[in-house]
Amino acid sequence: MEAEDWKGLATNYEGNILSVYDNDQNGEIESIIKELGIKKERAVDLGCGTGKFLPLLSNHFKSVQAFDYSTEMINAAKRSHKHLKNLSLSVCDLRTSSPKIKPSDMALCINVVLSPSISDREKIWRNVRKSIRTGGFLVLVTPSLESALYSKHRLVEWNIRNGDTSVQALTEGFDTKDKDGKMISRGGIINYGGVPTKHYLEEELICLAHRFGFKITSTEKITYPWSTEFSSPPKWMKSPLPWDWLILLEKKNLRTR
Ligand SMILES: C[S@@+](CC[C@H](N)C(=O)[O-])C[C@H]1O[C@@H](n2cnc3c(N)ncnc32)[C@H](O)[C@@H]1O
């Protein structure tokens, strides 16, 4: 997606985008922010959207920068968070070579590195690294490829329980346009609401973190109700629930890692 594509979504954010903030039922991100905020100076929200996490960041850090490449998202965030005096909001494409981001004690990057283009993702990763001071932390949330594949299996199960033949159950459960499975197996790209979206394996995130000079402090699942995957999921469809990866990383000096 490009900045323009997020335009319409900013006006009906609730209906269009899975809000990690609203669905983090156990408050895992909130606890991390509170813990890291103690005596810390500066936080940055990279790809802030309409700014759901900004009040929390503003409460726990002395100053907060927030960036998004969609002007509409930034305008929506400005309207909602006028009262936050320690917050600065700017339009910025995280793929540009030298964005004006002051290195922070903590960066939040929640479901932002989703582009199917490897080269775009590499550019964003480099800027994510630059936006954190050495010893600072990155709170990263990404879609899980394991969860996306598992959800498709639950859909196949649903079809079988409804009396579909096994062939029907499979073809209706999986993306038949991606016949050779190239998108999924090569790139971890899965259509989410019709948009090709990068999904990550846990081990892939470990390798990425290492390559960009981060040490992984913790890896957790943020689980969501089935209604985030399917409209009207059946009552029998319970745990294990679908999830995103929530990873806390510490920036290391590249030479000493
Ligand atoms: C799924 S939304 C998540 C928003 C927010 N982090 C949250 O959790 O509520 C993804 C956001 O990333 C922004 N984004 C995607 N690619 C970007 C880029 N290259 N530079 C800046 N923002 C980007 C989009 O405009 C969108 O607001």
Side-chain angles (χ1 to χ4, degrees):
M1 274 172 105
E2 291 298 322
E4 268 297 292
D5 302 321
W6 290 97
K7 193 171 170 180
L9 301 183
T11 42
N12 181 19
Y13 196 80
E14 304 297 330
N16 285 316
I17 290 179
L18 187 153
S19 162
V20 175
Y21 179 83
D22 294 331
N23 284 287
D24 180 11
Q25 290 157 352
N26 301 326
E28 309 218 28
I29 301 182
E30 183 168 350
S31 329
I32 293 178
I33 291 175
K34 281 184 180 162
E35 206 173 303
L36 293 180
I38 298 168
K39 294 195 194 134
K40 292 294 189 304
E41 298 286 322
R42 189 182 294 143
V44 59
D45 191 348
L46 302 166
C48 61
T50 56
K52 293 246 175 191
F53 286 95
L54 295 176
L56 198 55
L57 291 176
S58 163
N59 255 336
H60 293 280
F61 287 82
K62 281 195 187 151
S63 71
V64 179
Q65 314 166 83
F67 300 93
D68 202 287
Y69 70 172
S70 156
T71 309
E72 283 67 26
M73 292 287 182
I74 290 294
N75 287 342
K78 280 185 179 163
R79 279 194 299 276
S80 314
H81 305 299
K82 274 192 222 105
H83 56 292
L84 304 179
K85 300 297 175 215
N86 59 348
L87 168 68
S88 77
L89 278 151
S90 317
V91 174
C92 167
D93 188 339
L94 294 168
R95 295 169 299 185
T96 50
S97 56
S98 303
K100 291 195 174 72
I101 304 175
K102 292 182 198 146
S104 291
D105 299 292
M106 193 204 76
L108 214 58
C109 190
I110 304 218
N111 278 342
V112 175
V113 199
L114 309 179
S115 168
S117 152
I118 297 183
S119 109
D120 282 355
R121 295 200 303 271
E122 289 284 305
K123 287 174 193 157
I124 297 178
W125 265 101
R126 281 196 282 276
N127 283 327
V128 168
R129 179 172 166 83
K130 277 189 210 158
S131 67
I132 304 165
R133 68 162 175 83
T134 303
F137 289 89
L138 168 63
V139 181
L140 179 73
V141 173
T142 73
S144 154
L145 183 53
E146 295 89 336
S147 173
L149 291 175
Y150 159 64
S151 294
K152 289 182 186 295
H153 283 286
R154 298 285 345 232
L155 182 55
V156 172
E157 180 193 355
W158 187 358
N159 291 340
I160 285 175
R161 284 184 186 236
N162 279 352
D164 276 10
T165 63
S166 38
V167 173
Q168 267 176 331
L170 269 175
T171 48
E172 284 165 22
F174 284 87
D175 188 350
T176 45
K177 281 187 219 124
D178 186 16
K179 281 208 168 41
D180 304 326
K182 275 189 192 155
M183 296 270 282
I184 293 182
S185 61
R186 273 216 235 145
I189 310 300
I190 293 187
N191 277 327
Y192 193 81
V195 178
T197 303
K198 171 65 184 161
H199 288 63
Y200 295 82
L201 294 169
E202 184 178 4
E203 286 74 9
E204 181 183 4
L205 287 166
I206 294 172
C207 298
L208 269 170
H210 187 243
R211 187 157 61 83
F212 283 94
F214 289 96
K215 183 181 136 207
I216 294 186
T217 302
S218 65
T219 305
E220 286 171 56
K221 291 177 178 178
I222 312 183
T223 56
Y224 304 122
W226 280 111
S227 53
T228 59
E229 289 289 321
F230 307 122
S231 50
S232 315
K235 285 211 170 61
W236 54 259
M237 199 181 280
K238 294 200 169 92
S239 64
L241 294 170
W243 72 93
D244 275 347
W245 291 121
L246 163 60
I247 315 227
L248 177 61
L249 308 113
E250 185 181 351
K251 180 173 164 176
K252 292 287 169 195
N253 197 318
L254 268 173
R255 282 187 300 278
T256 57
R257 111 195 116 96

